[in-house]
mmCIF file of all heavy atoms in Angstrom:
data_model
loop_
_atom_site.group_PDB
_atom_site.id
_atom_site.type_symbol
_atom_site.label_atom_id
_atom_site.label_comp_id
_atom_site.label_asym_id
_atom_site.label_seq_id
_atom_site.Cartn_x
_atom_site.Cartn_y
_atom_site.Cartn_z
ATOM 1 N N LEU A 247 -13.883 -2.610 -3.914
ATOM 2 C CA LEU A 247 -14.496 -1.973 -2.746
ATOM 3 C C LEU A 247 -13.510 -1.150 -1.923
ATOM 4 O O LEU A 247 -13.910 -0.473 -0.987
ATOM 5 C CB LEU A 247 -15.119 -3.046 -1.836
ATOM 6 C CG LEU A 247 -16.185 -3.925 -2.470
ATOM 7 C CD1 LEU A 247 -16.567 -5.062 -1.533
ATOM 8 C CD2 LEU A 247 -17.394 -3.103 -2.849
ATOM 9 N N CYS A 248 -12.222 -1.219 -2.267
ATOM 10 C CA CYS A 248 -11.179 -0.583 -1.460
ATOM 11 C C CYS A 248 -11.208 0.941 -1.619
ATOM 12 O O CYS A 248 -11.211 1.455 -2.730
ATOM 13 C CB CYS A 248 -9.803 -1.117 -1.849
ATOM 14 S SG CYS A 248 -8.480 -0.480 -0.794
ATOM 15 N N HIS A 249 -11.196 1.609 -0.468
ATOM 16 C CA HIS A 249 -11.171 3.076 -0.468
ATOM 17 C C HIS A 249 -9.920 3.613 0.217
ATOM 18 O O HIS A 249 -9.858 4.789 0.548
ATOM 19 C CB HIS A 249 -12.410 3.627 0.256
ATOM 20 C CG HIS A 249 -13.693 3.199 -0.373
ATOM 21 N ND1 HIS A 249 -14.085 3.579 -1.633
ATOM 22 C CD2 HIS A 249 -14.676 2.383 0.081
ATOM 23 C CE1 HIS A 249 -15.250 3.037 -1.924
ATOM 24 N NE2 HIS A 249 -15.636 2.304 -0.900
ATOM 25 N N ARG A 250 -8.939 2.741 0.429
ATOM 26 C CA ARG A 250 -7.712 3.179 1.108
ATOM 27 C C ARG A 250 -6.912 4.094 0.196
ATOM 28 O O ARG A 250 -6.751 3.824 -0.981
ATOM 29 C CB ARG A 250 -6.851 1.988 1.482
ATOM 30 C CG ARG A 250 -7.418 1.210 2.661
ATOM 31 C CD ARG A 250 -6.466 0.167 3.086
ATOM 32 N NE ARG A 250 -5.562 0.746 4.080
ATOM 33 C CZ ARG A 250 -4.858 0.036 4.918
ATOM 34 N NH1 ARG A 250 -4.928 -1.266 4.903
ATOM 35 N NH2 ARG A 250 -4.065 0.604 5.789
ATOM 36 N N GLN A 251 -6.388 5.117 0.785
ATOM 37 C CA GLN A 251 -5.483 6.013 0.073
ATOM 38 C C GLN A 251 -4.070 5.530 0.343
ATOM 39 O O GLN A 251 -3.719 5.245 1.474
ATOM 40 C CB GLN A 251 -5.657 7.451 0.572
ATOM 41 C CG GLN A 251 -7.040 8.014 0.338
ATOM 42 C CD GLN A 251 -7.373 8.124 -1.136
ATOM 43 O OE1 GLN A 251 -6.562 8.556 -1.938
ATOM 44 N NE2 GLN A 251 -8.578 7.715 -1.501
ATOM 45 N N GLY A 252 -3.255 5.424 -0.682
ATOM 46 C CA GLY A 252 -1.871 4.981 -0.489
ATOM 47 C C GLY A 252 -1.760 3.468 -0.410
ATOM 48 O O GLY A 252 -2.431 2.739 -1.126
ATOM 49 N N PHE A 253 -0.906 2.989 0.504
ATOM 50 C CA PHE A 253 -0.556 1.575 0.613
ATOM 51 C C PHE A 253 -1.746 0.706 1.036
ATOM 52 O O PHE A 253 -2.412 0.990 2.019
ATOM 53 C CB PHE A 253 0.578 1.409 1.621
ATOM 54 C CG PHE A 253 0.896 -0.019 1.942
ATOM 55 C CD1 PHE A 253 1.590 -0.807 1.046
ATOM 56 C CD2 PHE A 253 0.489 -0.574 3.146
ATOM 57 C CE1 PHE A 253 1.886 -2.127 1.341
ATOM 58 C CE2 PHE A 253 0.788 -1.887 3.453
ATOM 59 C CZ PHE A 253 1.483 -2.670 2.546
ATOM 60 N N CYS A 254 -1.975 -0.365 0.276
ATOM 61 C CA CYS A 254 -2.960 -1.387 0.632
ATOM 62 C C CYS A 254 -2.377 -2.740 0.236
ATOM 63 O O CYS A 254 -2.218 -3.024 -0.957
ATOM 64 C CB CYS A 254 -4.295 -1.171 -0.070
ATOM 65 S SG CYS A 254 -5.462 -2.521 0.225
ATOM 66 N N MET A 255 -2.038 -3.554 1.220
ATOM 67 C CA MET A 255 -1.398 -4.846 0.948
ATOM 68 C C MET A 255 -2.304 -5.763 0.137
ATOM 69 O O MET A 255 -1.817 -6.520 -0.703
ATOM 70 C CB MET A 255 -0.990 -5.514 2.268
ATOM 71 C CG MET A 255 -0.165 -6.757 2.084
ATOM 72 S SD MET A 255 1.427 -6.375 1.304
ATOM 73 C CE MET A 255 2.149 -7.995 1.212
ATOM 74 N N MET A 256 -3.606 -5.710 0.345
ATOM 75 C CA MET A 256 -4.508 -6.564 -0.424
ATOM 76 C C MET A 256 -4.518 -6.143 -1.893
ATOM 77 O O MET A 256 -4.507 -7.001 -2.780
ATOM 78 C CB MET A 256 -5.932 -6.534 0.151
ATOM 79 C CG MET A 256 -6.068 -7.258 1.472
ATOM 80 S SD MET A 256 -5.694 -9.028 1.387
ATOM 81 C CE MET A 256 -7.161 -9.662 0.604
ATOM 82 N N CYS A 257 -4.514 -4.855 -2.170
ATOM 83 C CA CYS A 257 -4.474 -4.387 -3.561
ATOM 84 C C CYS A 257 -3.146 -4.770 -4.218
ATOM 85 O O CYS A 257 -3.114 -5.181 -5.383
ATOM 86 C CB CYS A 257 -4.699 -2.883 -3.619
ATOM 87 S SG CYS A 257 -6.402 -2.388 -3.225
ATOM 88 N N ILE A 258 -2.055 -4.666 -3.463
ATOM 89 C CA ILE A 258 -0.743 -5.055 -3.994
ATOM 90 C C ILE A 258 -0.720 -6.550 -4.291
ATOM 91 O O ILE A 258 -0.256 -6.982 -5.351
ATOM 92 C CB ILE A 258 0.380 -4.667 -3.009
ATOM 93 C CG1 ILE A 258 0.588 -3.153 -3.070
ATOM 94 C CG2 ILE A 258 1.680 -5.395 -3.322
ATOM 95 C CD1 ILE A 258 1.539 -2.620 -2.034
ATOM 96 N N MET A 259 -1.246 -7.351 -3.365
ATOM 97 C CA MET A 259 -1.271 -8.808 -3.574
ATOM 98 C C MET A 259 -2.201 -9.178 -4.728
ATOM 99 O O MET A 259 -1.901 -10.091 -5.493
ATOM 100 C CB MET A 259 -1.690 -9.534 -2.296
ATOM 101 C CG MET A 259 -0.600 -9.617 -1.252
ATOM 102 S SD MET A 259 0.925 -10.415 -1.835
ATOM 103 C CE MET A 259 0.331 -12.058 -2.240
ATOM 104 N N GLU A 260 -3.298 -8.477 -4.857
ATOM 105 C CA GLU A 260 -4.212 -8.737 -5.963
ATOM 106 C C GLU A 260 -3.501 -8.507 -7.301
ATOM 107 O O GLU A 260 -3.562 -9.350 -8.194
ATOM 108 C CB GLU A 260 -5.433 -7.822 -5.841
ATOM 109 C CG GLU A 260 -6.505 -8.088 -6.867
ATOM 110 C CD GLU A 260 -7.709 -7.201 -6.658
ATOM 111 O OE1 GLU A 260 -8.412 -7.379 -5.658
ATOM 112 O OE2 GLU A 260 -7.943 -6.316 -7.524
ATOM 113 N N ALA A 261 -2.830 -7.381 -7.418
ATOM 114 C CA ALA A 261 -2.099 -7.075 -8.656
ATOM 115 C C ALA A 261 -0.982 -8.089 -8.881
ATOM 116 O O ALA A 261 -0.767 -8.542 -10.016
ATOM 117 C CB ALA A 261 -1.528 -5.657 -8.593
ATOM 118 N N HIS A 262 -0.288 -8.477 -7.819
ATOM 119 C CA HIS A 262 0.810 -9.438 -7.940
ATOM 120 C C HIS A 262 0.298 -10.801 -8.418
ATOM 121 O O HIS A 262 0.844 -11.375 -9.358
ATOM 122 C CB HIS A 262 1.546 -9.586 -6.604
ATOM 123 C CG HIS A 262 2.583 -10.649 -6.632
ATOM 124 N ND1 HIS A 262 3.820 -10.452 -7.213
ATOM 125 C CD2 HIS A 262 2.555 -11.938 -6.215
ATOM 126 C CE1 HIS A 262 4.511 -11.579 -7.130
ATOM 127 N NE2 HIS A 262 3.763 -12.491 -6.525
ATOM 128 N N VAL A 263 -0.733 -11.307 -7.778
ATOM 129 C CA VAL A 263 -1.262 -12.632 -8.136
ATOM 130 C C VAL A 263 -1.800 -12.622 -9.568
ATOM 131 O O VAL A 263 -1.553 -13.559 -10.330
ATOM 132 C CB VAL A 263 -2.340 -13.093 -7.122
ATOM 133 C CG1 VAL A 263 -3.100 -14.312 -7.617
ATOM 134 C CG2 VAL A 263 -1.675 -13.388 -5.777
ATOM 135 N N ARG A 264 -2.484 -11.571 -9.940
ATOM 136 C CA ARG A 264 -2.984 -11.472 -11.316
ATOM 137 C C ARG A 264 -1.822 -11.463 -12.305
ATOM 138 O O ARG A 264 -1.865 -12.126 -13.336
ATOM 139 C CB ARG A 264 -3.852 -10.228 -11.495
ATOM 140 C CG ARG A 264 -5.166 -10.304 -10.737
ATOM 141 C CD ARG A 264 -6.077 -9.137 -11.058
ATOM 142 N NE ARG A 264 -6.552 -9.218 -12.436
ATOM 143 C CZ ARG A 264 -7.502 -10.047 -12.859
ATOM 144 N NH1 ARG A 264 -8.076 -10.869 -12.029
ATOM 145 N NH2 ARG A 264 -7.882 -10.039 -14.130
ATOM 146 N N LYS A 265 -0.774 -10.721 -11.976
ATOM 147 C CA LYS A 265 0.384 -10.627 -12.865
ATOM 148 C C LYS A 265 1.075 -11.991 -13.000
ATOM 149 O O LYS A 265 1.410 -12.411 -14.108
ATOM 150 C CB LYS A 265 1.355 -9.583 -12.320
ATOM 151 C CG LYS A 265 2.462 -9.184 -13.261
ATOM 152 C CD LYS A 265 3.242 -8.023 -12.651
ATOM 153 C CE LYS A 265 4.341 -7.561 -13.548
ATOM 154 N NZ LYS A 265 5.133 -6.483 -12.930
ATOM 155 N N VAL A 266 1.272 -12.684 -11.882
ATOM 156 C CA VAL A 266 1.946 -13.990 -11.911
ATOM 157 C C VAL A 266 1.123 -15.006 -12.688
ATOM 158 O O VAL A 266 1.641 -15.717 -13.553
ATOM 159 C CB VAL A 266 2.221 -14.509 -10.480
ATOM 160 C CG1 VAL A 266 2.626 -15.977 -10.493
ATOM 161 C CG2 VAL A 266 3.305 -13.675 -9.817
ATOM 162 N N LEU A 267 -0.160 -15.095 -12.383
ATOM 163 C CA LEU A 267 -0.990 -16.160 -12.954
ATOM 164 C C LEU A 267 -1.558 -15.838 -14.337
ATOM 165 O O LEU A 267 -1.937 -16.754 -15.063
ATOM 166 C CB LEU A 267 -2.125 -16.521 -11.989
ATOM 167 C CG LEU A 267 -1.682 -17.096 -10.648
ATOM 168 C CD1 LEU A 267 -2.881 -17.360 -9.759
ATOM 169 C CD2 LEU A 267 -0.848 -18.350 -10.836
ATOM 170 N N ARG A 268 -1.626 -14.574 -14.693
ATOM 171 C CA ARG A 268 -2.221 -14.198 -15.981
ATOM 172 C C ARG A 268 -1.194 -13.763 -17.022
ATOM 173 O O ARG A 268 -1.513 -13.617 -18.190
ATOM 174 C CB ARG A 268 -3.244 -13.076 -15.790
ATOM 175 C CG ARG A 268 -4.397 -13.404 -14.862
ATOM 176 C CD ARG A 268 -5.364 -14.353 -15.520
ATOM 177 N NE ARG A 268 -6.592 -14.449 -14.752
ATOM 178 C CZ ARG A 268 -6.974 -15.547 -14.102
ATOM 179 N NH1 ARG A 268 -6.209 -16.599 -14.101
ATOM 180 N NH2 ARG A 268 -8.108 -15.571 -13.455
ATOM 181 N N SER A 269 0.041 -13.550 -16.591
ATOM 182 C CA SER A 269 1.073 -13.068 -17.504
ATOM 183 C C SER A 269 1.577 -14.197 -18.395
ATOM 184 O O SER A 269 1.666 -15.345 -17.978
ATOM 185 C CB SER A 269 2.241 -12.493 -16.695
ATOM 186 O OG SER A 269 3.318 -12.183 -17.542
ATOM 187 N N SER A 270 1.942 -13.840 -19.600
ATOM 188 C CA SER A 270 2.554 -14.829 -20.496
ATOM 189 C C SER A 270 4.075 -14.866 -20.312
ATOM 190 O O SER A 270 4.747 -15.701 -20.902
ATOM 191 C CB SER A 270 2.206 -14.507 -21.948
ATOM 192 O OG SER A 270 2.679 -13.220 -22.273
ATOM 193 N N ALA A 271 4.579 -13.965 -19.481
ATOM 194 C CA ALA A 271 6.026 -13.914 -19.229
ATOM 195 C C ALA A 271 6.465 -15.124 -18.403
ATOM 196 O O ALA A 271 5.675 -15.697 -17.657
ATOM 197 C CB ALA A 271 6.380 -12.627 -18.488
ATOM 198 N N ASN A 272 7.719 -15.494 -18.554
ATOM 199 C CA ASN A 272 8.273 -16.582 -17.745
ATOM 200 C C ASN A 272 8.719 -16.098 -16.373
ATOM 201 O O ASN A 272 8.741 -16.864 -15.414
ATOM 202 C CB ASN A 272 9.474 -17.222 -18.452
ATOM 203 C CG ASN A 272 9.042 -18.017 -19.660
ATOM 204 O OD1 ASN A 272 7.946 -18.555 -19.701
ATOM 205 N ND2 ASN A 272 9.913 -18.090 -20.650
ATOM 206 N N VAL A 273 9.103 -14.822 -16.302
ATOM 207 C CA VAL A 273 9.615 -14.243 -15.059
ATOM 208 C C VAL A 273 9.045 -12.842 -14.913
ATOM 209 O O VAL A 273 8.940 -12.096 -15.889
ATOM 210 C CB VAL A 273 11.163 -14.156 -15.086
ATOM 211 C CG1 VAL A 273 11.691 -13.484 -13.835
ATOM 212 C CG2 VAL A 273 11.790 -15.530 -15.252
ATOM 213 N N ILE A 274 8.688 -12.484 -13.683
ATOM 214 C CA ILE A 274 8.277 -11.110 -13.402
ATOM 215 C C ILE A 274 9.096 -10.584 -12.229
ATOM 216 O O ILE A 274 9.703 -11.353 -11.485
ATOM 217 C CB ILE A 274 6.765 -10.975 -13.103
ATOM 218 C CG1 ILE A 274 6.408 -11.736 -11.828
ATOM 219 C CG2 ILE A 274 5.914 -11.414 -14.273
ATOM 220 C CD1 ILE A 274 5.109 -11.302 -11.225
ATOM 221 N N TRP A 275 9.101 -9.296 -12.058
ATOM 222 C CA TRP A 275 9.812 -8.639 -10.984
ATOM 223 C C TRP A 275 8.771 -8.154 -9.982
ATOM 224 O O TRP A 275 7.897 -7.365 -10.355
ATOM 225 C CB TRP A 275 10.621 -7.450 -11.520
ATOM 226 C CG TRP A 275 11.794 -7.887 -12.344
ATOM 227 C CD1 TRP A 275 13.094 -7.954 -11.910
ATOM 228 C CD2 TRP A 275 11.803 -8.320 -13.697
ATOM 229 N NE1 TRP A 275 13.899 -8.415 -12.927
ATOM 230 C CE2 TRP A 275 13.127 -8.648 -14.037
ATOM 231 C CE3 TRP A 275 10.821 -8.493 -14.670
ATOM 232 C CZ2 TRP A 275 13.497 -9.117 -15.288
ATOM 233 C CZ3 TRP A 275 11.167 -8.964 -15.917
ATOM 234 C CH2 TRP A 275 12.498 -9.270 -16.215
ATOM 235 N N PRO A 276 8.860 -8.556 -8.722
ATOM 236 C CA PRO A 276 7.872 -8.117 -7.717
ATOM 237 C C PRO A 276 8.179 -6.710 -7.196
ATOM 238 O O PRO A 276 8.335 -6.489 -5.999
ATOM 239 C CB PRO A 276 7.993 -9.186 -6.626
ATOM 240 C CG PRO A 276 9.409 -9.643 -6.721
ATOM 241 C CD PRO A 276 9.776 -9.555 -8.189
ATOM 242 N N ARG A 277 8.261 -5.763 -8.119
ATOM 243 C CA ARG A 277 8.695 -4.397 -7.766
ATOM 244 C C ARG A 277 7.760 -3.700 -6.785
ATOM 245 O O ARG A 277 8.219 -2.976 -5.902
ATOM 246 C CB ARG A 277 8.839 -3.562 -9.036
ATOM 247 C CG ARG A 277 10.067 -3.913 -9.830
ATOM 248 C CD ARG A 277 10.309 -2.900 -10.954
ATOM 249 N NE ARG A 277 11.509 -3.240 -11.669
ATOM 250 C CZ ARG A 277 11.528 -3.856 -12.846
ATOM 251 N NH1 ARG A 277 10.401 -4.190 -13.436
ATOM 252 N NH2 ARG A 277 12.672 -4.134 -13.428
ATOM 253 N N ALA A 278 6.444 -3.876 -6.944
ATOM 254 C CA ALA A 278 5.499 -3.174 -6.060
ATOM 255 C C ALA A 278 5.678 -3.612 -4.614
ATOM 256 O O ALA A 278 5.635 -2.789 -3.699
ATOM 257 C CB ALA A 278 4.068 -3.409 -6.518
ATOM 258 N N VAL A 279 5.899 -4.905 -4.401
ATOM 259 C CA VAL A 279 6.088 -5.405 -3.040
ATOM 260 C C VAL A 279 7.393 -4.857 -2.463
ATOM 261 O O VAL A 279 7.415 -4.362 -1.328
ATOM 262 C CB VAL A 279 6.095 -6.950 -3.009
ATOM 263 C CG1 VAL A 279 6.388 -7.470 -1.613
ATOM 264 C CG2 VAL A 279 4.754 -7.494 -3.505
ATOM 265 N N VAL A 280 8.457 -4.908 -3.236
ATOM 266 C CA VAL A 280 9.750 -4.411 -2.761
ATOM 267 C C VAL A 280 9.694 -2.898 -2.546
ATOM 268 O O VAL A 280 10.215 -2.382 -1.553
ATOM 269 C CB VAL A 280 10.883 -4.809 -3.738
ATOM 270 C CG1 VAL A 280 12.210 -4.178 -3.344
ATOM 271 C CG2 VAL A 280 11.010 -6.333 -3.795
ATOM 272 N N ARG A 281 9.007 -2.191 -3.418
ATOM 273 C CA ARG A 281 8.872 -0.730 -3.285
ATOM 274 C C ARG A 281 8.193 -0.359 -1.966
ATOM 275 O O ARG A 281 8.567 0.604 -1.308
ATOM 276 C CB ARG A 281 8.064 -0.182 -4.462
ATOM 277 C CG ARG A 281 7.810 1.323 -4.403
ATOM 278 C CD ARG A 281 6.722 1.768 -5.361
ATOM 279 N NE ARG A 281 5.444 1.214 -4.918
ATOM 280 C CZ ARG A 281 4.504 0.748 -5.731
ATOM 281 N NH1 ARG A 281 4.674 0.748 -7.032
ATOM 282 N NH2 ARG A 281 3.378 0.273 -5.251
ATOM 283 N N ASP A 282 7.181 -1.132 -1.572
ATOM 284 C CA ASP A 282 6.404 -0.813 -0.373
ATOM 285 C C ASP A 282 6.814 -1.614 0.855
ATOM 286 O O ASP A 282 6.067 -1.719 1.817
ATOM 287 C CB ASP A 282 4.915 -1.019 -0.655
ATOM 288 C CG ASP A 282 4.368 0.052 -1.587
ATOM 289 O OD1 ASP A 282 4.900 1.177 -1.592
ATOM 290 O OD2 ASP A 282 3.404 -0.238 -2.312
ATOM 291 N N LEU A 283 8.013 -2.162 0.812
ATOM 292 C CA LEU A 283 8.503 -3.007 1.899
ATOM 293 C C LEU A 283 8.405 -2.332 3.263
ATOM 294 O O LEU A 283 8.027 -2.966 4.252
ATOM 295 C CB LEU A 283 9.953 -3.382 1.599
ATOM 296 C CG LEU A 283 10.446 -4.750 1.992
ATOM 297 C CD1 LEU A 283 9.477 -5.851 1.646
ATOM 298 C CD2 LEU A 283 11.795 -5.013 1.349
ATOM 299 N N LYS A 284 8.710 -1.039 3.325
ATOM 300 C CA LYS A 284 8.697 -0.328 4.609
ATOM 301 C C LYS A 284 7.290 -0.261 5.203
ATOM 302 O O LYS A 284 7.136 -0.147 6.417
ATOM 303 C CB LYS A 284 9.283 1.073 4.452
ATOM 304 C CG LYS A 284 8.486 1.988 3.554
ATOM 305 C CD LYS A 284 9.176 3.333 3.373
ATOM 306 C CE LYS A 284 8.493 4.170 2.329
ATOM 307 N NZ LYS A 284 8.713 3.714 0.963
ATOM 308 N N PHE A 285 6.249 -0.353 4.374
ATOM 309 C CA PHE A 285 4.880 -0.348 4.876
ATOM 310 C C PHE A 285 4.452 -1.741 5.343
ATOM 311 O O PHE A 285 3.554 -1.872 6.161
ATOM 312 C CB PHE A 285 3.901 0.140 3.804
ATOM 313 C CG PHE A 285 4.177 1.541 3.353
ATOM 314 C CD1 PHE A 285 4.572 1.787 2.050
ATOM 315 C CD2 PHE A 285 4.052 2.614 4.224
ATOM 316 C CE1 PHE A 285 4.833 3.081 1.620
ATOM 317 C CE2 PHE A 285 4.311 3.914 3.805
ATOM 318 C CZ PHE A 285 4.705 4.142 2.497
ATOM 319 N N ILE A 286 5.077 -2.766 4.804
ATOM 320 C CA ILE A 286 4.761 -4.147 5.187
ATOM 321 C C ILE A 286 5.391 -4.451 6.546
ATOM 322 O O ILE A 286 4.756 -5.030 7.420
ATOM 323 C CB ILE A 286 5.237 -5.136 4.102
ATOM 324 C CG1 ILE A 286 4.494 -4.854 2.787
ATOM 325 C CG2 ILE A 286 5.031 -6.587 4.552
ATOM 326 C CD1 ILE A 286 5.076 -5.563 1.573
ATOM 327 N N GLY A 287 6.633 -4.054 6.704
ATOM 328 C CA GLY A 287 7.333 -4.217 7.981
ATOM 329 C C GLY A 287 8.502 -3.274 8.008
ATOM 330 O O GLY A 287 9.351 -3.320 7.109
ATOM 331 N N GLU A 288 8.556 -2.429 9.003
ATOM 332 C CA GLU A 288 9.610 -1.393 9.014
ATOM 333 C C GLU A 288 11.010 -1.960 9.140
ATOM 334 O O GLU A 288 11.987 -1.284 8.837
ATOM 335 C CB GLU A 288 9.340 -0.352 10.098
ATOM 336 C CG GLU A 288 9.200 -0.919 11.488
ATOM 337 C CD GLU A 288 8.694 0.113 12.482
ATOM 338 O OE1 GLU A 288 7.835 0.925 12.126
ATOM 339 O OE2 GLU A 288 9.185 0.085 13.624
ATOM 340 N N GLU A 289 11.135 -3.236 9.550
ATOM 341 C CA GLU A 289 12.468 -3.838 9.680
ATOM 342 C C GLU A 289 13.039 -4.309 8.347
ATOM 343 O O GLU A 289 14.205 -4.671 8.266
ATOM 344 C CB GLU A 289 12.439 -5.007 10.677
ATOM 345 C CG GLU A 289 11.624 -6.196 10.218
ATOM 346 C CD GLU A 289 10.172 -6.186 10.701
ATOM 347 O OE1 GLU A 289 9.601 -5.107 10.936
ATOM 348 O OE2 GLU A 289 9.612 -7.273 10.833
ATOM 349 N N PHE A 290 12.230 -4.310 7.281
ATOM 350 C CA PHE A 290 12.698 -4.810 5.995
ATOM 351 C C PHE A 290 13.265 -3.694 5.136
ATOM 352 O O PHE A 290 12.702 -2.607 5.068
ATOM 353 C CB PHE A 290 11.557 -5.497 5.234
ATOM 354 C CG PHE A 290 10.972 -6.655 5.972
ATOM 355 C CD1 PHE A 290 9.664 -6.621 6.415
ATOM 356 C CD2 PHE A 290 11.730 -7.786 6.241
ATOM 357 C CE1 PHE A 290 9.116 -7.681 7.105
ATOM 358 C CE2 PHE A 290 11.189 -8.854 6.929
ATOM 359 C CZ PHE A 290 9.881 -8.802 7.369
ATOM 360 N N GLU A 291 14.384 -4.004 4.467
ATOM 361 C CA GLU A 291 14.993 -3.078 3.523
ATOM 362 C C GLU A 291 15.295 -3.846 2.251
ATOM 363 O O GLU A 291 15.751 -4.993 2.307
ATOM 364 C CB GLU A 291 16.265 -2.476 4.107
ATOM 365 C CG GLU A 291 15.990 -1.578 5.308
ATOM 366 C CD GLU A 291 17.247 -0.914 5.823
ATOM 367 O OE1 GLU A 291 18.148 -0.617 5.015
ATOM 368 O OE2 GLU A 291 17.313 -0.691 7.040
ATOM 369 N N PRO A 292 15.053 -3.231 1.095
ATOM 370 C CA PRO A 292 15.204 -3.939 -0.182
ATOM 371 C C PRO A 292 16.568 -4.568 -0.426
ATOM 372 O O PRO A 292 16.662 -5.606 -1.056
ATOM 373 C CB PRO A 292 14.919 -2.860 -1.224
ATOM 374 C CG PRO A 292 14.164 -1.802 -0.518
ATOM 375 C CD PRO A 292 14.594 -1.858 0.919
#
C-alpha cells in the first residue's frame, strides 16, 4: 500500500526482516539501513 517516494523506514524494515528470517545465509549485512542512516536520524553516521 506504500506510495512514498524515496526513503520509507517501514519498507526498509520489511525487506530487512524478510531477509533475516527467510534467508538461508548465516550472516547478512544490513546495508540498506546503514545506507539510509541520515534519514533515520541526522545525528547518525555509518
Side-chain angles (χ1 to χ4, degrees):
L247 301 172
C248 185
H249 300 295
R250 286 187 89 160
Q251 298 296 316
F253 172 75
C254 174
M255 188 64 180
M256 288 298 284
C257 289
I258 286 173
M259 284 303 298
E260 185 177 291
H262 174 78
V263 168
R264 292 187 68 76
K265 191 173 181 183
V266 167
L267 297 178
R268 301 286 192 248
S269 172
S270 59
N272 289 330
V273 177
I274 64 161
W275 290 260
R277 286 190 178 101
V279 176
V280 174
R281 178 195 67 219
D282 289 332
L283 215 44
K284 64 184 172 287
F285 299 115
I286 298 168
E288 56 190 38
E289 67 267 28
F290 300 115
E291 294 184 32

